[in-house]
Amino acid sequence: MEFEPVIGLEIHAQLLTDAKIFCGCSTKFGAAPNTHTCPVCLGMPGVLPVLNRKVVELMIRMALATNCRINPECNFARKNYFYPDLPKGYQISQYAHPPAEHGWVEVEMDGGKKRIGITRIHMEEDAGKLMHDERNPVSLVDLNRTGVPLIEIVSEPDIQSAEEAAAYLRRLHETLVYLDICDGNMEEGSFRCDANVSLRPKGTEDFGTRAELKNMNSFRNVQRALEYEIKRQQYVLEGGGKVVQETRLWDDTAGATQSMRGKEEAHDYRYFPDPDLVPVVIDDAWIEEIRKGLPELPLEKRERFVRDYRISAYDAGVITASRALADYY
Ligand code: ADP
Ligand code: ZN
Ligand code: MG
């Protein structure tokens, strides 16, 4: 039997604001541990979060650039789970009422252009960072990153190969960087990707059981992890086995994915609307104001360079790979 992969990506992008999403603490990377903290982002009892307007604006920029429908009203929800890097015991995220939905982007593949759907974009706060000591049985926690604003961009399961996943990832990455809303640094974790992949018999409609892959910190690793995982699932299925729904970590040195834990279902998080935050209302005037400020996006720029300057598509791609180089040209 021949199988075909079904892939959907979840991307977390750290937004370029000066302050965190619900308090005034700095978001600057690399400060001494636990110096960019206050009672709000430390999750002290009795404190109240206040939404940073800039976060909403940057989310809208990305939503417009990816052809999403922006909902007039959205709200924040608590995603409950216990982890040492999450001092409140829940993460403030968005769930039932996301701000942006039903978008798409185009990627260029050998066979031409392909449209990949975007299910939703929502805002949330980042968690802190744990550092595990190799020699001592202790873990250290740095809460500077706690409360740094993120947007999560969830794709439809429209992606059909590891190569296509990498192309989609590059498209979103360059869009975020062009829009000046994320520095795109994968090493520092400003741009992170979880990849969901399953196999199904070629030509069938229903989805198979998926694995969620984490811990890939470069485009190349996302592609390699998916290639490995597709082969692994194929091997399991061909042997008459079943793929289990789980989270797997990419091990770069081993060149393999390894089981980390069974995958939580949404209901395990006991989402509910955060009573500390009022609904966010986004009016058309604000959307239009933001739309006017959008720069020319890389794909449009590429096509314009080919048309107006009569250069090859390849050259246009090289020149527009960075906005600074394109502007100089
Ligand atoms: P979560 O991972 O939090 O449970 P979702 O259910 O929204 O979130 O799914 C996350 C991603 O997984 C989406 O990008 C979606 O397209 C993709 N996905 C869902 N089901 C499958 C599947 N059977 N195979 C591959 N990808 C899938
Ligand atoms: Zn703070
Ligand atoms: Mg997921």
Side-chain angles (χ1 to χ4, degrees):
M1 196 188 282
E2 244 196 288
F3 293 100
E4 64 182 10
V6 172
I7 300 167
L9 301 185
E10 293 162 271
I11 291 166
H12 287 93
Q14 207 177 87
L15 297 176
L16 281 172
T17 57
D18 294 330
K20 293 186 179 181
I21 182 168
F22 299 119
C23 63
C25 290
S26 168
T27 56
K28 227 183 166 74
F29 185 82
N34 299 306
T35 52
H36 291 169
T37 54
C38 73
V40 173
C41 57
L42 291 175
M44 296 294 173
V47 298
L48 286 172
V50 176
L51 178 61
N52 180 345
R53 182 184 166 94
K54 190 81 188 176
V55 173
V56 186
E57 183 188 324
L58 300 189
M59 178 278 299
I60 295 173
R61 277 171 85 83
M62 188 57 178
L64 290 173
T66 52
N67 309 292
C68 285
R69 192 183 77 197
I70 296 166
N71 295 324
E73 196 173 304
C74 64
N75 66 9
F76 284 94
R78 292 186 181 179
K79 182 179 183 179
N80 298 280
Y81 61 101
F82 181 79
Y83 214 64
D85 63 10
L86 190 75
K88 293 196 297 298
Y90 61 85
Q91 177 193 25
I92 304 178
S93 181
Q94 300 192 281
Y95 186 60
H97 304 284
E101 295 174 280
H102 311 297
W104 50 268
V105 293
E106 258 170 4
V107 296
E108 288 151 317
M109 299 301 296
D110 287 343
K113 282 185 190 166
K114 173 166 175 186
R115 201 177 263 209
I116 292 169
I118 291 179
T119 314
R120 55 188 273 151
I121 300 180
H122 71 247
M123 301 172 275
E124 61 185 26
E125 57 179 353
D126 208 349
K129 209 171 168 177
L130 286 177
M131 276 148 294
H132 307 289
D133 192 322
E134 304 267 303
R135 284 150 301 172
N136 299 310
V138 297
S139 292
L140 302 169
V141 63
D142 178 6
L143 299 175
N144 283 349
R145 206 178 63 185
T146 311
V148 163
L150 302 176
I151 47 174
E152 177 170 337
I153 306 162
V154 182
S155 88
E156 287 290 304
D158 289 346
I159 301 164
Q160 287 165 302
S161 70
E163 202 189 347
E164 214 172 276
Y168 167 80
L169 208 56
R170 287 206 170 85
R171 164 57 27 84
L172 284 201
H173 184 269
E174 69 178 6
T175 304
L176 288 161
V177 174
Y178 258 74
L179 291 173
D180 215 9
I181 64 178
C182 172
D183 69 19
N185 191 327
M186 285 181 96
E187 301 267 284
E188 288 177 7
S190 318
F191 182 84
R192 313 193 276 267
C193 169
D194 298 343
N196 295 270
V197 55
S198 62
L199 295 188
R200 65 179 172 196
K202 213 179 173 113
T204 60
E205 289 281 309
D206 292 346
F207 293 153
T209 306
R210 70 179 150 128
E212 183 188 51
L213 312 182
K214 287 182 184 282
N215 202 35
M216 303 145 310
N217 61 359
S218 69
F219 296 114
R220 202 176 105 79
N221 281 350
V222 171
Q223 190 166 340
R224 283 174 71 208
L226 280 166
E227 279 163 1
Y228 174 89
E229 184 61 20
I230 290 165
K231 285 207 194 100
R232 187 192 69 85
Q233 291 186 14
Q234 193 165 345
Y235 183 79
V236 170
L237 294 172
E238 279 170 358
K242 277 200 166 91
V243 172
V244 286
Q245 180 159 324
E246 62 183 352
T247 298
R248 299 180 66 89
L249 288 187
W250 170 248
D251 180 338
D252 195 25
T253 326
T257 62
Q258 259 131 30
S259 178
M260 177 169 91
R261 56 164 190 242
K263 166 82 184 130
E264 304 86 345
E265 298 288 344
H267 62 249
D268 293 329
Y269 293 120
R270 300 166 350 264
Y271 281 101
F272 65 88
D274 192 314
D276 288 341
L277 287 153
V278 293
V280 181
V281 175
I282 299 170
D283 63 24
D284 288 342
W286 194 20
I287 296 174
E288 286 322 306
E289 189 189 316
I290 294 169
R291 195 194 301 275
K292 278 195 220 116
L294 287 185
E296 184 178 37
L297 292 170
L299 195 58
E300 298 163 17
K301 204 184 273 295
R302 215 159 283 158
E303 285 168 354
R304 181 169 62 83
F305 279 17
V306 170
R307 198 173 57 237
D308 294 358
Y309 305 137
R310 313 251 172 114
I311 59 176
S312 70
Y314 176 83
D315 289 347
V318 173
I319 292 165
T320 57
S322 104
R323 188 170 162 189
L325 182 60
D327 288 347
Y328 178 74
Y329 175 78

